[in-house]
């Protein structure tokens, strides 16, 4: 769920399936949430990658389907010496989705480990800034990033403004040239006080939603399709370490297929 640092041309499809407790005491049982994101990246220069991203979501508790906002951004990545990379990221979200009261948006934020919150608050327009740093050598990648989201209301929703921050650490290793394994830690924190923090179920989670910490383990294949075209499909498993993901027993399986050229 962290941003890639290399500057490439890219088409990527992410699909996340979250299995979790149904929402609220009135609907006991197991629920499913499905989220799909499509990312297109264009290499504008040796150090510049332009990015467009859009998605949709579905939850079974209660049945709800919605579309995310569109994110348009740029990643500026530079190599330091031969083993370090530094990147800065700036983006805006275009409020093209439905009103953010849809249950599917609420659950999609958790299915994405709370790392893509701005895309699933379509009643708001967001400005996004982030920084990432990585050491890549001897088959290892150790990467960290921090991102700040500032959202302003553009439709009739509860919050005039929302400020959110996310942090992530990724450690990966190439077992063989065709296969890598990795682990991630994620943390998100609301710096403002949106209504969902001040409201208990069924309309919100209360103060427990302010922070979310989660972890991911995954494997990724690396297949040279032809020439400079690579397919790098991956599968990963994510759980939450605290509420609300841990409280509702979230288990998320993510499958993503990036095509790089």
């Amino acid at each position: 769920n962290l941003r890639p640092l290399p500057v490439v041309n890219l088409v990527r499809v992410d699909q996340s399936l979250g299995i979790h407790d149904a929402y609220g005491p009135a609907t006991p049982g197991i629920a499913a949430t499905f989220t799909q994101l499509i990312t297109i990246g264009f290499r504008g220069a040796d150090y510049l990658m332009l990015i467009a991203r859009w998605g949709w979501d579905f939850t079974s508790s209660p049945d709800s389907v919605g579309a995310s906002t569109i994110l348009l951004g740029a990643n500026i990545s530079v190599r330091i010496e031969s083993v370090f990379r530094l990147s800065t990221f700036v983006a805006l979200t275009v409020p093209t989705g439905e009103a953010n009261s849809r249950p599917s948006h609420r659950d999609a934020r958790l299915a994405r480990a709370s790392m893509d919150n701005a895309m699933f608050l379509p009643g708001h327009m967001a400005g996004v800034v982030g920084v990432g740093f990585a050491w890549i050598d001897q088959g290892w990648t150790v990467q960290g990033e921090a991102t700040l989201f500032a959202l302003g209301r553009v439709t009739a929703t509860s919050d005039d403004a929302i400020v959110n921050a996310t942090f992530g650490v990724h450690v990966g290793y190439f077992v063989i040239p065709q296969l890598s394994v990795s682990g991630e830690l994620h943390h998100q924190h609301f710096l403002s006080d949106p209504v969902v923090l001040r409201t208990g179920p069924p309309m919100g989670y209360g103060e427990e939603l302010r922070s979310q910490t989660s972890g991911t383990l995954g494997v990724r294949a690396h297949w040279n399709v032809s020439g400079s075209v690579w397919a790098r499909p991956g599968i990963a498993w994510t759980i939450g370490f605290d509420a609300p993901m841990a409280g509702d027993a979230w288990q998320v399986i993510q499958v993503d297929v990036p095509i790089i050229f």
Side-chain angles (χ1 to χ4, degrees):
N1 288 312
L2 273 60
R3 292 184 295 273
L5 295 185
V7 174
V8 294
N9 295 309
L10 167 74
V11 177
R12 172 171 168 159
V13 178
D14 288 76
Q15 300 177 98
S16 300
L17 174 63
I19 305 299
H20 53 95
D21 293 341
Y23 188 66
T27 55
I30 301 299
T33 297
F34 180 80
T35 304
Q36 184 173 73
L37 293 176
I38 299 173
T39 304
I40 298 174
F42 172 72
R43 180 175 179 172
D46 290 342
Y47 57 86
L48 175 64
M49 181 178 177
L50 304 178
I51 297 170
R53 202 174 203 194
W54 175 83
W56 65 277
D57 47 53
F58 162 80
T59 188
S60 65
S61 176
D63 285 348
S64 175
V65 177
S68 80
T69 64
I70 295 174
L71 181 142
L72 301 174
N75 196 38
I76 301 170
S77 181
V78 295
R79 188 186 297 271
I80 302 174
E81 299 297 334
S82 60
V83 296
F84 298 106
R85 285 184 181 269
L86 174 67
S87 76
T88 56
F89 178 74
V90 293
L92 290 173
T93 63
V94 181
T96 54
E98 297 88 353
N100 62 2
S101 60
R102 287 181 177 270
S104 60
H105 295 328
R106 174 203 67 217
D107 289 347
R109 295 193 290 270
L110 297 181
R112 296 294 302 169
S114 298
M115 296 293 282
D116 295 297
N117 286 344
M119 291 190 66
F120 298 101
L121 290 167
H124 294 76
M125 185 173 183
V128 185
V129 293
V131 61
F133 185 77
W135 170 76
I136 305 171
D137 194 28
Q138 302 294 320
W140 288 92
T141 297
V142 180
Q143 176 181 345
E145 72 172 37
T147 308
L148 181 69
F149 306 84
L151 300 94
R153 181 170 65 181
V154 294
T155 62
T157 65
S158 303
D159 298 293
D160 290 332
I162 299 173
V163 182
N164 185 232
T166 63
F167 309 88
V169 176
H170 172 101
V171 178
Y173 179 69
F174 274 89
V175 180
I176 58 175
Q178 297 80 21
L179 183 70
S180 61
V181 296
S182 62
E184 288 185 357
L185 288 175
H186 323 109
H187 182 75
Q188 76 86 26
H189 189 84
F190 281 101
L191 302 176
S192 62
D193 296 304
V195 168
V196 290
L197 269 62
R198 307 192 301 269
T199 309
M203 296 303 295
Y205 278 95
E207 183 65 23
E208 67 181 10
L209 186 65
R210 180 174 296 278
S211 295
Q212 174 66 65
T213 304
S214 59
T216 297
L217 294 174
V219 297
R220 186 174 299 281
H222 304 267
W223 173 38
N224 185 206
V225 179
S226 175
S228 62
V229 180
W230 286 79
R232 304 186 187 271
I235 184 169
W237 167 59
T238 298
I239 60 171
F241 297 137
D242 54 10
M245 287 185 73
D248 287 338
W250 276 77
Q251 304 279 334
V252 180
I253 297 296
Q254 177 176 321
V255 176
D256 63 84
V257 183
I259 305 297
I260 298 169
F261 54 97

